[in-house]
Amino acid sequence: MDQDHDHMHMSPPPANSTGMSPMHHMEMMMHMTFYWGKEAEILFSGWPGARSGMYALALIVVFVMGIIVEWLSYCRLIKPGSTHAAAGLVQTLLHTIRIGLAYMVMLALMSFNGGVFLVAVAGHAVGFLVFGSRVCRGSEMVSLEKTSDLP
């Protein structure tokens, strides 16, 4: 009877190179609510890791991506008089880059790290302030004037 009882207990899964079982490692890295802390995975597996400097770099990258998304939303790079084909290709390229960066910001937000959330919103806010608002343009926007290359 003791042998049957021993077989009923399952041993825990083997530990990986970090000394944690795969399930424990997965539970530790998957957050479904916001949390604060520098130990996060943002965009890439193992990045930024547990180092404060790399976490700060990750926050700067997310912040800058938010600014660039806003810049691409309000920039005017197509020269007047460009052919429709050239203008269309430039618009498509700008749109592709803008959407790709916006998705990267969204994926960074899926880390559920509070710091990442704050810098993503701040990056978009600063980008809009500088490129989209009247504060830095210094003039009234005419409703018929085209304000950017992208819709």
Coordinates of all heavy atoms in Angstrom, one line a residue, residues 55-131:
Y55 N 16.7 48.9 -17.7 CA 15.3 49.3 -17.5 C 15.1 50.7 -17.9 O 14.2 51.1 -18.6 CB 14.9 49.0 -16.1 CG 13.4 49.4 -15.8 CD1 12.4 48.7 -16.4 CD2 13.1 50.5 -15.0 CE1 11.0 49.1 -16.1 CE2 11.8 50.9 -14.7 CZ 10.8 50.2 -15.3 OH 9.5 50.5 -15.0
A56 N 16.0 51.6 -17.5 CA 16.0 53.0 -17.9 C 16.1 53.2 -19.4 O 15.3 54.0 -20.0 CB 17.1 53.8 -17.2
L57 N 16.9 52.4 -20.0 CA 17.1 52.5 -21.5 C 15.8 52.0 -22.1 O 15.3 52.6 -23.1 CB 18.2 51.6 -21.9 CG 18.4 51.5 -23.5 CD1 18.7 52.8 -24.1 CD2 19.5 50.4 -23.8
A58 N 15.1 51.0 -21.6 CA 13.9 50.5 -22.2 C 12.8 51.6 -22.1 O 12.0 51.8 -23.0 CB 13.4 49.2 -21.5
L59 N 12.8 52.3 -20.9 CA 11.8 53.4 -20.8 C 12.0 54.5 -21.8 O 11.1 55.0 -22.3 CB 11.8 53.9 -19.3 CG 11.4 52.9 -18.2 CD1 11.4 53.6 -16.9 CD2 10.0 52.4 -18.5
I60 N 13.3 54.8 -22.0 CA 13.7 55.9 -22.9 C 13.2 55.5 -24.3 O 12.7 56.3 -25.1 CB 15.2 56.2 -22.9 CG1 15.5 56.9 -21.5 CG2 15.6 57.0 -24.0 CD1 17.0 57.0 -21.2
V61 N 13.5 54.2 -24.7 CA 13.1 53.7 -26.0 C 11.6 53.8 -26.2 O 11.1 54.3 -27.3 CB 13.6 52.2 -26.2 CG1 12.9 51.6 -27.4 CG2 15.1 52.2 -26.4
V62 N 10.8 53.4 -25.2 CA 9.3 53.5 -25.4 C 8.9 54.9 -25.5 O 8.0 55.3 -26.3 CB 8.6 52.8 -24.2 CG1 7.1 53.0 -24.2 CG2 8.9 51.3 -24.2
F63 N 9.5 55.8 -24.7 CA 9.2 57.3 -24.7 C 9.5 57.8 -26.1 O 8.6 58.5 -26.7 CB 10.0 58.0 -23.6 CG 9.8 59.5 -23.6 CD1 8.7 60.0 -22.9 CD2 10.7 60.3 -24.1 CE1 8.5 61.3 -22.8 CE2 10.5 61.7 -24.0 CZ 9.4 62.2 -23.4
V64 N 10.6 57.5 -26.6 CA 11.0 58.1 -28.0 C 10.1 57.5 -29.0 O 9.7 58.2 -30.0 CB 12.5 57.8 -28.2 CG1 12.9 58.1 -29.7 CG2 13.4 58.6 -27.3
M65 N 9.7 56.2 -28.9 CA 8.8 55.7 -29.9 C 7.5 56.4 -29.9 O 6.9 56.6 -31.0 CB 8.6 54.2 -29.7 CG 9.8 53.3 -30.2 SD 9.4 51.5 -30.3 CE 8.9 51.1 -28.6
G66 N 7.0 56.7 -28.7 CA 5.7 57.5 -28.6 C 5.9 58.9 -29.3 O 5.0 59.3 -30.0
I67 N 7.0 59.5 -29.1 CA 7.2 60.8 -29.8 C 7.3 60.7 -31.3 O 6.7 61.5 -32.0 CB 8.5 61.5 -29.2 CG1 8.4 61.9 -27.8 CG2 9.0 62.7 -30.1 CD1 9.6 62.4 -27.1
I68 N 8.0 59.7 -31.7 CA 8.1 59.5 -33.2 C 6.7 59.1 -33.8 O 6.4 59.6 -34.9 CB 9.1 58.4 -33.5 CG1 10.5 58.8 -33.1 CG2 9.1 58.0 -35.0 CD1 11.6 57.7 -33.2
V69 N 5.9 58.4 -33.1 CA 4.6 58.1 -33.7 C 3.8 59.4 -33.9 O 3.2 59.6 -34.9 CB 3.8 57.1 -32.7 CG1 2.3 57.1 -33.1 CG2 4.4 55.7 -32.8
E70 N 3.9 60.3 -32.9 CA 3.2 61.6 -33.0 C 3.8 62.4 -34.1 O 3.1 63.1 -34.9 CB 3.2 62.3 -31.7 CG 2.4 61.6 -30.6 CD 0.9 61.5 -31.0 OE1 0.3 62.5 -31.6 OE2 0.3 60.5 -30.7
W71 N 5.1 62.4 -34.2 CA 5.8 63.2 -35.3 C 5.3 62.7 -36.7 O 5.0 63.5 -37.5 CB 7.3 63.1 -35.2 CG 8.0 63.8 -36.3 CD1 8.1 65.1 -36.6 CD2 8.7 63.1 -37.4 NE1 8.8 65.3 -37.8 CE2 9.2 64.1 -38.3 CE3 8.9 61.8 -37.7 CZ2 9.9 63.8 -39.4 CZ3 9.7 61.5 -38.8 CH2 10.1 62.5 -39.7
L72 N 5.3 61.4 -36.8 CA 4.8 60.8 -38.1 C 3.4 61.2 -38.4 O 3.0 61.3 -39.5 CB 5.1 59.3 -38.1 CG 6.5 58.9 -38.3 CD1 6.6 57.4 -38.0 CD2 7.1 59.3 -39.6
S73 N 2.6 61.4 -37.4 CA 1.2 61.7 -37.5 C 1.0 63.2 -38.0 O 0.0 63.5 -38.6 CB 0.4 61.6 -36.2 OG 0.5 60.2 -35.8
Y74 N 2.0 64.0 -37.8 CA 1.9 65.5 -38.1 C 2.9 66.0 -39.1 O 2.9 67.2 -39.5 CB 1.9 66.3 -36.9 CG 0.7 66.0 -36.0 CD1 0.8 65.2 -34.9 CD2 -0.6 66.6 -36.3 CE1 -0.3 64.9 -34.1 CE2 -1.7 66.3 -35.5 CZ -1.5 65.4 -34.4 OH -2.6 65.1 -33.7
C75 N 3.9 65.1 -39.5 CA 4.9 65.6 -40.4 C 4.5 65.9 -41.8 O 3.5 65.4 -42.3 CB 6.1 64.7 -40.4 SG 5.8 63.1 -41.3
R76 N 5.2 66.8 -42.5 CA 4.9 67.1 -43.9 C 6.2 66.9 -44.6 O 7.0 67.8 -44.7 CB 4.4 68.5 -44.0 CG 3.1 68.7 -43.3 CD 2.4 69.9 -43.7 NE 2.1 69.9 -45.1 CZ 1.5 70.9 -45.8 NH1 1.2 72.0 -45.2 NH2 1.2 70.7 -47.1
L77 N 6.5 65.7 -45.2 CA 7.7 65.4 -45.9 C 7.5 65.4 -47.4 O 8.5 65.4 -48.1 CB 8.2 64.0 -45.4 CG 8.6 63.9 -44.0 CD1 9.0 62.5 -43.6 CD2 9.7 64.9 -43.6
I78 N 6.2 65.3 -47.9 CA 6.0 65.3 -49.3 C 6.0 66.7 -49.9 O 5.3 67.6 -49.4 CB 4.6 64.6 -49.6 CG1 4.7 63.1 -49.1 CG2 4.3 64.6 -51.1 CD1 3.3 62.4 -49.2
K79 N 6.9 66.9 -50.8 CA 7.0 68.2 -51.4 C 5.8 68.5 -52.3 O 5.4 67.7 -53.1 CB 8.3 68.3 -52.2 CG 9.6 68.1 -51.3 CD 10.8 68.3 -52.1 CE 12.1 68.1 -51.4 NZ 12.1 68.0 -50.0
P80 N 5.4 69.8 -52.3 CA 4.3 70.2 -53.2 C 4.8 69.9 -54.7 O 6.0 70.2 -55.0 CB 4.1 71.7 -53.0 CG 4.6 71.9 -51.6 CD 5.7 70.9 -51.4
G81 N 3.9 69.5 -55.5 CA 4.3 69.2 -56.9 C 4.8 67.8 -57.2 O 5.1 67.5 -58.3
S82 N 4.9 67.0 -56.1 CA 5.3 65.6 -56.3 C 4.2 64.8 -57.1 O 3.0 65.2 -57.0 CB 5.4 64.9 -55.0 OG 6.5 65.5 -54.2
T83 N 4.6 63.8 -57.9 CA 3.7 63.0 -58.6 C 2.8 62.2 -57.6 O 3.2 62.0 -56.5 CB 4.4 62.1 -59.6 OG1 5.1 61.1 -58.8 CG2 5.3 62.8 -60.5
H84 N 1.6 61.9 -58.1 CA 0.7 61.1 -57.2 C 1.3 59.8 -56.8 O 1.2 59.3 -55.7 CB -0.6 60.9 -57.9 CG -1.4 62.1 -58.1 ND1 -1.9 62.9 -57.0 CD2 -1.8 62.8 -59.2 CE1 -2.6 63.9 -57.4 NE2 -2.5 63.9 -58.8
A85 N 2.1 59.2 -57.8 CA 2.7 57.9 -57.4 C 3.7 58.0 -56.4 O 3.8 57.2 -55.4 CB 3.3 57.2 -58.7
A86 N 4.6 59.0 -56.5 CA 5.7 59.2 -55.5 C 5.1 59.6 -54.2 O 5.5 59.1 -53.1 CB 6.6 60.3 -56.0
A87 N 4.1 60.5 -54.2 CA 3.4 60.9 -52.9 C 2.7 59.7 -52.3 O 2.8 59.5 -51.1 CB 2.4 62.0 -53.2
G88 N 2.1 58.9 -53.1 CA 1.4 57.7 -52.5 C 2.4 56.7 -51.9 O 2.1 56.1 -50.9
L89 N 3.5 56.5 -52.6 CA 4.6 55.6 -52.0 C 5.1 56.2 -50.7 O 5.3 55.4 -49.7 CB 5.7 55.4 -53.0 CG 5.3 54.5 -54.2 CD1 6.4 54.5 -55.2 CD2 4.9 53.1 -53.8
V90 N 5.4 57.5 -50.6 CA 5.9 58.1 -49.4 C 4.9 58.0 -48.3 O 5.2 57.6 -47.2 CB 6.4 59.5 -49.7 CG1 6.7 60.2 -48.3 CG2 7.6 59.6 -50.6
Q91 N 3.6 58.3 -48.6 CA 2.5 58.1 -47.6 C 2.4 56.7 -47.1 O 2.3 56.5 -45.9 CB 1.2 58.5 -48.2 CG 0.9 60.0 -48.2 CD -0.4 60.3 -48.8 OE1 -0.9 59.8 -49.8 NE2 -1.2 61.2 -48.1
T92 N 2.5 55.7 -48.0 CA 2.4 54.3 -47.6 C 3.6 54.0 -46.7 O 3.4 53.3 -45.6 CB 2.4 53.4 -48.8 OG1 1.3 53.8 -49.6 CG2 2.3 52.0 -48.4
L93 N 4.8 54.4 -47.0 CA 6.0 54.1 -46.2 C 5.8 54.8 -44.8 O 6.1 54.2 -43.8 CB 7.2 54.6 -46.9 CG 8.5 54.5 -46.1 CD1 8.8 53.0 -45.9 CD2 9.7 55.2 -46.8
L94 N 5.4 56.1 -44.8 CA 5.2 56.8 -43.5 C 4.2 56.1 -42.6 O 4.3 55.9 -41.4 CB 4.9 58.2 -43.7 CG 5.9 59.1 -44.3 CD1 5.4 60.5 -44.6 CD2 7.1 59.2 -43.4
H95 N 3.1 55.7 -43.3 CA 2.0 55.0 -42.6 C 2.5 53.7 -42.0 O 2.2 53.3 -40.8 CB 0.8 54.8 -43.5 CG -0.3 54.1 -42.9 ND1 -1.2 54.6 -41.9 CD2 -0.7 52.8 -43.0 CE1 -2.1 53.7 -41.6 NE2 -1.8 52.6 -42.2
T96 N 3.2 52.9 -42.8 CA 3.7 51.6 -42.3 C 4.7 51.8 -41.1 O 4.5 51.1 -40.1 CB 4.5 50.9 -43.5 OG1 3.6 50.8 -44.6 CG2 5.0 49.6 -43.1
I97 N 5.5 52.8 -41.2 CA 6.5 53.0 -40.1 C 5.7 53.5 -38.8 O 5.9 53.0 -37.7 CB 7.5 54.0 -40.4 CG1 8.5 53.5 -41.5 CG2 8.4 54.5 -39.2 CD1 9.4 54.5 -42.2
R98 N 4.7 54.4 -39.0 CA 3.9 54.9 -37.9 C 3.2 53.8 -37.2 O 3.2 53.6 -36.0 CB 3.0 56.0 -38.3 CG 2.1 56.5 -37.2 CD 1.2 57.6 -37.6 NE 0.1 57.0 -38.5 CZ -1.0 57.7 -38.9 NH1 -1.1 59.0 -38.6 NH2 -1.9 57.1 -39.6
I99 N 2.5 52.9 -38.0 CA 1.7 51.8 -37.4 C 2.6 50.8 -36.8 O 2.3 50.3 -35.7 CB 0.8 51.2 -38.5 CG1 -0.3 52.2 -38.9 CG2 0.2 49.9 -38.0 CD1 -1.1 52.7 -37.8
G100 N 3.7 50.5 -37.4 CA 4.7 49.6 -36.8 C 5.2 50.0 -35.4 O 5.2 49.3 -34.5
L101 N 5.5 51.3 -35.3 CA 6.0 51.9 -34.1 C 4.9 51.9 -33.0 O 5.1 51.6 -31.9 CB 6.6 53.3 -34.2 CG 8.0 53.3 -34.9 CD1 8.4 54.7 -35.2 CD2 9.0 52.6 -34.0
A102 N 3.7 52.3 -33.5 CA 2.5 52.3 -32.6 C 2.2 50.9 -32.0 O 1.9 50.7 -30.8 CB 1.3 52.8 -33.3
Y103 N 2.4 49.9 -32.9 CA 2.2 48.5 -32.4 C 3.3 48.1 -31.4 O 3.1 47.4 -30.4 CB 2.1 47.5 -33.5 CG 0.8 47.5 -34.3 CD1 0.8 47.1 -35.6 CD2 -0.4 47.8 -33.7 CE1 -0.4 47.0 -36.3 CE2 -1.6 47.8 -34.3 CZ -1.6 47.4 -35.6 OH -2.8 47.3 -36.3
M104 N 4.5 48.6 -31.6 CA 5.6 48.3 -30.7 C 5.4 48.9 -29.3 O 5.6 48.3 -28.3 CB 7.0 48.8 -31.3 CG 7.4 48.1 -32.5 SD 8.1 46.4 -32.2 CE 9.7 46.9 -31.5
V105 N 4.8 50.1 -29.3 CA 4.5 50.8 -28.1 C 3.4 49.9 -27.4 O 3.4 49.7 -26.2 CB 4.0 52.2 -28.3 CG1 3.4 52.8 -27.0 CG2 5.2 53.1 -28.8
M106 N 2.4 49.5 -28.2 CA 1.3 48.7 -27.6 C 1.9 47.4 -27.0 O 1.5 47.0 -25.9 CB 0.3 48.3 -28.6 CG -0.9 47.5 -28.1 SD -1.7 46.5 -29.3 CE -0.4 45.6 -30.1
L107 N 2.8 46.7 -27.7 CA 3.4 45.5 -27.2 C 4.2 45.8 -25.9 O 4.2 44.9 -25.0 CB 4.3 44.8 -28.3 CG 3.5 44.2 -29.4 CD1 4.5 43.8 -30.5 CD2 2.7 43.0 -29.0
A108 N 4.9 46.9 -25.9 CA 5.6 47.3 -24.6 C 4.6 47.4 -23.5 O 4.9 47.0 -22.4 CB 6.4 48.5 -24.9
L109 N 3.5 48.0 -23.8 CA 2.4 48.2 -22.7 C 1.9 46.9 -22.2 O 1.5 46.8 -21.0 CB 1.3 49.0 -23.2 CG 1.6 50.5 -23.4 CD1 0.4 51.2 -24.2 CD2 1.9 51.2 -22.1
M110 N 2.0 45.8 -23.0 CA 1.5 44.5 -22.6 C 2.4 43.9 -21.6 O 2.1 42.8 -21.0 CB 1.3 43.6 -23.8 CG 0.2 44.1 -24.7 SD -0.1 43.1 -26.2 CE -0.5 41.5 -25.5
S111 N 3.5 44.5 -21.2 CA 4.3 44.1 -20.1 C 3.6 44.4 -18.8 O 4.0 43.8 -17.7 CB 5.7 44.8 -20.1 OG 5.6 46.1 -19.7
F112 N 2.6 45.2 -18.8 CA 1.8 45.6 -17.6 C 2.7 46.3 -16.6 O 2.3 46.4 -15.4 CB 1.1 44.5 -17.0 CG -0.1 44.0 -17.8 CD1 0.0 43.0 -18.6 CD2 -1.3 44.7 -17.6 CE1 -1.1 42.6 -19.4 CE2 -2.4 44.3 -18.4 CZ -2.3 43.3 -19.3
N113 N 3.9 46.9 -17.0 CA 4.7 47.6 -16.1 C 4.2 49.0 -16.0 O 4.0 49.7 -17.0 CB 6.2 47.5 -16.6 CG 7.1 48.2 -15.7 OD1 7.3 49.4 -15.7 ND2 7.8 47.4 -14.8
G114 N 4.1 49.5 -14.8 CA 3.5 50.9 -14.6 C 4.5 52.0 -15.2 O 4.0 52.9 -15.7
G115 N 5.8 51.8 -15.1 CA 6.7 52.7 -15.6 C 6.6 52.8 -17.1 O 6.6 53.9 -17.7
V116 N 6.4 51.7 -17.8 CA 6.3 51.6 -19.2 C 5.0 52.4 -19.6 O 5.0 53.1 -20.6 CB 6.3 50.2 -19.8 CG1 5.9 50.1 -21.2 CG2 7.6 49.5 -19.5
F117 N 3.9 52.1 -18.9 CA 2.7 52.8 -19.2 C 2.9 54.3 -19.1 O 2.4 55.1 -20.0 CB 1.6 52.4 -18.2 CG 0.3 53.1 -18.4 CD1 -0.6 52.9 -19.4 CD2 -0.1 54.1 -17.4 CE1 -1.7 53.6 -19.6 CE2 -1.2 54.8 -17.5 CZ -2.1 54.6 -18.6
L118 N 3.5 54.8 -18.0 CA 3.7 56.2 -17.8 C 4.5 56.9 -18.9 O 4.2 57.9 -19.5 CB 4.3 56.5 -16.5 CG 3.3 56.3 -15.3 CD1 4.1 56.5 -14.0 CD2 2.1 57.1 -15.4
V119 N 5.6 56.2 -19.3 CA 6.5 56.8 -20.3 C 5.8 56.7 -21.7 O 6.1 57.6 -22.6 CB 7.9 56.2 -20.4 CG1 8.6 56.5 -19.0 CG2 8.0 54.8 -20.7
A120 N 5.0 55.7 -22.0 CA 4.3 55.6 -23.3 C 3.4 56.8 -23.4 O 3.3 57.5 -24.5 CB 3.6 54.3 -23.4
V121 N 2.6 57.0 -22.4 CA 1.6 58.1 -22.4 C 2.4 59.5 -22.5 O 2.0 60.4 -23.3 CB 0.7 58.1 -21.2 CG1 -0.2 59.3 -21.1 CG2 -0.2 56.8 -21.3
A122 N 3.4 59.6 -21.7 CA 4.2 60.8 -21.7 C 4.8 61.1 -23.1 O 4.9 62.2 -23.6 CB 5.3 60.8 -20.6
G123 N 5.3 60.0 -23.7 CA 5.9 60.2 -25.1 C 4.9 60.7 -26.1 O 5.2 61.6 -26.9
H124 N 3.7 60.1 -26.1 CA 2.6 60.6 -27.0 C 2.2 62.0 -26.6 O 2.0 62.8 -27.5 CB 1.4 59.6 -26.9 CG 1.6 58.4 -27.7 ND1 1.5 58.3 -29.1 CD2 1.8 57.1 -27.3 CE1 1.7 57.1 -29.5 NE2 1.9 56.3 -28.4
A125 N 2.2 62.3 -25.4 CA 1.8 63.7 -24.9 C 2.8 64.7 -25.4 O 2.5 65.8 -26.0 CB 1.6 63.7 -23.4
V126 N 4.1 64.4 -25.2 CA 5.2 65.4 -25.6 C 5.2 65.5 -27.1 O 5.3 66.6 -27.6 CB 6.5 64.9 -25.0 CG1 7.7 65.7 -25.7 CG2 6.5 65.1 -23.5
G127 N 5.0 64.3 -27.8 CA 5.0 64.4 -29.2 C 3.9 65.2 -29.8 O 4.0 66.0 -30.7
F128 N 2.7 65.1 -29.2 CA 1.5 65.9 -29.6 C 1.8 67.3 -29.3 O 1.5 68.2 -30.1 CB 0.3 65.4 -29.0 CG -0.9 66.2 -29.4 CD1 -1.5 66.0 -30.6 CD2 -1.4 67.2 -28.5 CE1 -2.6 66.8 -31.0 CE2 -2.5 68.0 -28.9 CZ -3.1 67.8 -30.1
L129 N 2.3 67.6 -28.1 CA 2.6 69.0 -27.7 C 3.5 69.7 -28.7 O 3.2 70.8 -29.2 CB 3.2 69.1 -26.3 CG 3.5 70.5 -25.8 CD1 2.3 71.3 -25.5 CD2 4.4 70.4 -24.6
V130 N 4.6 69.0 -29.1 CA 5.6 69.6 -30.0 C 5.1 69.6 -31.4 O 5.3 70.6 -32.1 CB 6.9 68.8 -29.8 CG1 7.9 69.3 -30.9 CG2 7.5 69.0 -28.4
F131 N 4.5 68.5 -31.9 CA 4.2 68.4 -33.3 C 2.7 68.7 -33.7 O 2.4 69.0 -34.9 CB 4.6 67.1 -33.9 CG 6.1 66.8 -33.6 CD1 6.5 65.8 -32.7 CD2 7.1 67.5 -34.3 CE1 7.8 65.5 -32.5 CE2 8.4 67.3 -34.0 CZ 8.8 66.3 -33.1

